[in-house]
Amino acid sequence: MNIAIITARGGSKRIPRKNIKEFCGKPIIYYSIKAALDSGIFDTVMVSTDDDEITRIARNYGAEVPFKRSQETADDFATTSDVLQEVIESYRRQGKNFDRFCCIYPTCPLLKKERLQEAMIMLDDCNGVKPVVKFSFPPQRSLIINDGFLEYQYPEFTNSRSQDLEAVYHDSGQFYAMRTEAFLTAGTLNVTNLKPIILNEMEVQDIDTDDDWKLAELKYKYIMM
């Protein structure tokens, strides 16, 4: 049994009501719900939220909201792992057990259903799957400002060619696919035997500012419309 868990609390400090703000004509959470439903790989697609408006919108687009978040998992200090543990335990009290889950963030409109399908299939051979993207510039040649002057953070790489440096990746911030027991045992999303799905930069956009939002819409219109 597979479940998609879309985490979408009501509070957002940097972009107010971010999880349901209109993105290319739809509330942004719609795109995560649609990708999960269209993938056809989940027995349940649910939204974990503390917010009545998010609940209404999520249900309108086909997701389940069988229970509300607790106060403990709705504040600024709750981690994604806290939220997932609460969801899994709440379902278990209802007699529903899921062997695998996929935690999907509500603000990733560039997410493709094929990536979700790929990740859940990959769980046959690992405990978890995390989509990542390569840094566009090698961090080994990063600069810092020291007393007003620029200097290399890693002087040993000052004369290294970019193509000779090891590729370094960062979390795409879209989703995490996990074996449920591996996650519960570890108590964290950083489980052992974690495999990557490597995304390209056109599939990824952090959305923390209004400028980020505009860039994400441009990417969406370019590759998805």
Side-chain angles (χ1 to χ4, degrees), residues 26-39:
K26 301 278 189 183
I28 196 166
I29 194 174
Y30 157 82
Y31 301 95
S32 295
I33 294 171
K34 186 177 189 309
L37 291 171
D38 287 352
S39 73

Side-chain angles (χ1 to χ4, degrees), residues 19-191:
N19 291 331
I20 52 174
K21 180 179 169 70
E22 184 176 303
F23 182 97
C24 291
K26 301 278 189 183
I28 196 166
I29 194 174
Y30 157 82
Y31 301 95
S32 295
I33 294 171
K34 186 177 189 309
L37 291 171
D38 287 352
S39 73
I41 204 164
F42 300 107
D43 300 283
T44 297
V45 175
M46 71 87 66
V47 170
S48 170
T49 188
D50 59 320
D51 187 273
D52 289 338
E53 187 178 12
I54 293 176
T55 295
R56 177 183 59 79
I57 290 171
R59 287 173 173 164
N60 184 53
Y61 287 119
E64 297 181 11
V65 188
F67 39 77
K68 289 287 188 69
R69 279 197 201 182
S70 64
Q71 284 187 324
E72 291 75 18
T73 58
D75 65 22
D76 292 337
F77 302 101
T79 65
T80 299
S81 293
D82 294 333
V83 174
L84 295 172
Q85 288 176 345
E86 181 178 72
V87 169
I88 293 166
E89 290 166 4
S90 295
Y91 271 110
R92 286 187 168 181
R93 286 194 293 270
Q94 296 179 3
K96 297 179 180 179
N97 292 288
F98 297 95
D99 303 309
R100 304 173 182 192
F101 70 85
C102 187
C103 170
I104 304 173
Y105 288 120
T107 54
C108 49
L110 304 177
L111 175 62
K112 298 176 181 178
K113 66 180 181 180
E114 291 83 5
R115 294 302 194 180
L116 298 176
Q117 293 165 342
E118 180 183 359
M120 298 305 287
I121 291 170
M122 286 173 65
L123 288 178
D124 289 344
D125 301 314
C126 63
N127 286 330
V129 178
K130 178 185 291 190
V132 297
V133 61
K134 187 171 74 170
F135 280 97
S136 58
F137 185 86
Q140 299 94 323
R141 299 201 61 200
S142 59
L143 298 165
I144 59 173
I145 299 174
N146 188 3
D147 292 330
F149 295 95
L150 285 173
E151 60 183 53
Y152 281 98
Q153 186 173 17
Y154 307 105
E156 64 270 31
F157 298 116
T158 299
N159 296 316
S160 299
R161 300 187 309 167
S162 296
Q163 60 266 40
D164 294 333
L165 296 171
E166 182 180 6
V168 182
Y169 301 84
H170 64 86
D171 188 345
S172 71
Q174 289 189 344
F175 67 88
Y176 309 101
M178 299 274 158
R179 289 179 177 267
T180 303
E181 289 306 321
F183 165 73
L184 292 176
T185 299
T188 173
L189 290 166
N190 294 312
V191 297

